[in-house]
């Protein structure tokens, strides 16, 4: 399990790096999918969250804050770096990915407790996989296709967004897959699996979904 998740997260990072290879300063300054954030904000966040997860692995056996300065430090670092040039963002992303790969290569026990969400190191690998996959889509630079494995993981993690008393079934219209979340009053939503995950993550799907979606809970 750890090797598969680590490989998936690092592969997502490599695809991110390829995607931003030709991005321009003008594109960096344009809005992202996320309200109030430019692409520069998203890229800065991706670099910093990667460094944060690397810090958890580098300090294996010692619980430290993922971000220097905690959440205020995180927010300040994103704002400070958001207006960097495209070249600076590319360099930051590349350096963070290299740091992460080195840190993860040295992990002795993926079940070591960490400060991040009071979890273990394996949780940080899953978290970074989610962060890179979803925020790469938030850049809105090119169509993004997620793997079936990521669909399954995202549904599992984001199932907490489905409110109590609702049994939601997500049905893929491109294959035979479906996911049933929670129990209660039944609700069904159909569409492309990427669009279903996009909706579950609180973003606007590229293509229409069929059904009556419930009001989602906050991000878990």
């Amino acid at each position: 399990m750890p090797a598969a998740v680590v490989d998936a997260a690092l592969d997502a990072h490599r695809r991110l790096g390829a995607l931003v290879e030709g991005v321009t300063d003008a594109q960096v300054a344009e809005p992202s999918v996320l309200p109030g954030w430019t692409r520069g904000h998203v890229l800065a966040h991706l670099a910093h969250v990667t460094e944060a997860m690397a810090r958890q692995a580098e300090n294996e056996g010692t619980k430290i804050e993922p971000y220097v300065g905690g959440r205020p430090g995180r927010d300040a670092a994103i704002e400070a770096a958001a207006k960097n040039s495209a070249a600076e963002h590319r360099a930051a992303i590349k350096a963070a990915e290299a740091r992460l790969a080195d840190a993860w290569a040295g992990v002795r026990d993926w079940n070591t407790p960490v400060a991040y969400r009071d979890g273990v190191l394996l949780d940080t690998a899953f978290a970074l996989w989610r962060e890179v996959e979803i925020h790469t889509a938030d850049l809105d630079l090119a169509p993004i296709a997620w793997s079936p494995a990521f669909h399954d993981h995202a549904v599992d993690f984001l199932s907490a967004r489905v409110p109590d008393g609702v049994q939601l079934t997500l049905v893929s219209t491109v294959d035979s897959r479906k996911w049933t979340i929670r129990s209660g009053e039944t609700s069904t939503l159909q569409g492309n699996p990427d669009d279903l995950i996009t909706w579950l993550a609180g973003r606007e799907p590229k293509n229409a979904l069929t059904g009556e979606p419930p009001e989602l809970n906050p991000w878990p």
Side-chain angles (χ1 to χ4, degrees), residues 3-52:
V5 177
V6 166
D7 288 346
L10 292 176
D11 180 64
H13 233 298
R14 286 188 285 269
R15 286 184 276 110
L16 167 65
L19 179 66
V20 302
E21 189 60 38
V23 74
T24 66
D25 290 345
Q27 288 175 308
V28 166
E30 291 172 348
S32 72
V33 167
L34 297 177
W37 268 20
T38 65
R39 290 192 178 105
H41 284 89
V42 176
L43 291 169
H45 172 54
L46 282 165
H48 289 121
V49 73
T50 301
E51 291 177 337

Side-chain angles (χ1 to χ4, degrees), residues 15 19 136-137 139-146 194 206:
R15 286 184 276 110
L19 179 66
T136 296
L139 290 169
D140 199 24
L141 288 169
I144 300 297
W146 289 317
D194 286 341
K206 296 292 186 184

Side-chain angles (χ1 to χ4, degrees), residues 18 20 30 36 55 63 81 104 108 111 141 148 152 170 175 180 183 199 211 213 220:
V20 302
E30 291 172 348
R55 273 169 51 85
K63 285 190 174 183
W104 280 357
R108 298 181 299 277
N111 289 312
L141 288 169
D152 290 341
L170 303 176
D175 52 33
T180 299
S183 61
W199 169 81

Side-chain angles (χ1 to χ4, degrees), residues 6-219:
V6 166
D7 288 346
L10 292 176
D11 180 64
H13 233 298
R14 286 188 285 269
R15 286 184 276 110
L16 167 65
L19 179 66
V20 302
E21 189 60 38
V23 74
T24 66
D25 290 345
Q27 288 175 308
V28 166
E30 291 172 348
S32 72
V33 167
L34 297 177
W37 268 20
T38 65
R39 290 192 178 105
H41 284 89
V42 176
L43 291 169
H45 172 54
L46 282 165
H48 289 121
V49 73
T50 301
E51 291 177 337
M53 297 304 101
R55 273 169 51 85
Q56 298 294 275
E58 289 165 351
N59 291 275
E60 183 178 358
T62 302
K63 285 190 174 183
I64 63 166
E65 284 286 336
Y67 295 95
V68 177
R71 183 63 182 242
R74 165 200 179 273
D75 295 344
I78 291 172
E79 286 298 330
K83 294 183 179 179
N84 284 353
S85 68
E88 288 170 323
H89 281 298
R90 277 192 291 273
I93 292 287
K94 184 176 181 179
E97 192 274 334
R99 177 181 175 182
L100 180 75
D102 285 345
W104 280 357
V107 169
R108 298 181 299 277
D109 183 358
W110 285 96
N111 289 312
T112 300
V114 293
Y116 178 77
R117 291 178 174 256
D118 288 322
V120 298
L121 277 172
L122 184 58
D123 296 323
T124 70
F126 276 111
L128 193 69
W129 187 22
R130 292 190 300 271
E131 291 281 334
V132 177
E133 294 283 14
I134 292 174
H135 285 312
T136 296
D138 289 335
L139 290 169
D140 199 24
L141 288 169
I144 300 297
W146 289 317
S147 68
F150 184 72
H151 293 150
D152 290 341
H153 169 62
V155 169
D156 180 61
F157 177 76
L158 295 171
S159 61
R161 302 202 70 196
V162 177
D164 292 337
V166 174
Q167 179 178 291
L168 175 64
T169 300
L170 303 176
V171 179
S172 168
T173 54
V174 301
D175 52 33
S176 60
R177 288 181 299 151
K178 66 179 180 180
W179 302 267
T180 299
I181 304 169
R182 294 187 178 272
S183 61
E185 184 177 348
T186 60
S187 177
T188 301
L189 202 58
Q190 296 180 311
N192 180 291
D194 286 341
D195 290 313
L196 291 169
I197 301 305
T198 296
W199 169 81
L200 194 58
R203 277 72 168 168
E204 187 69 27
K206 296 292 186 184
N207 304 291
L209 302 176
T210 303
E212 292 295 330
E215 191 73 25
L216 293 173
N217 292 328
W219 187 272

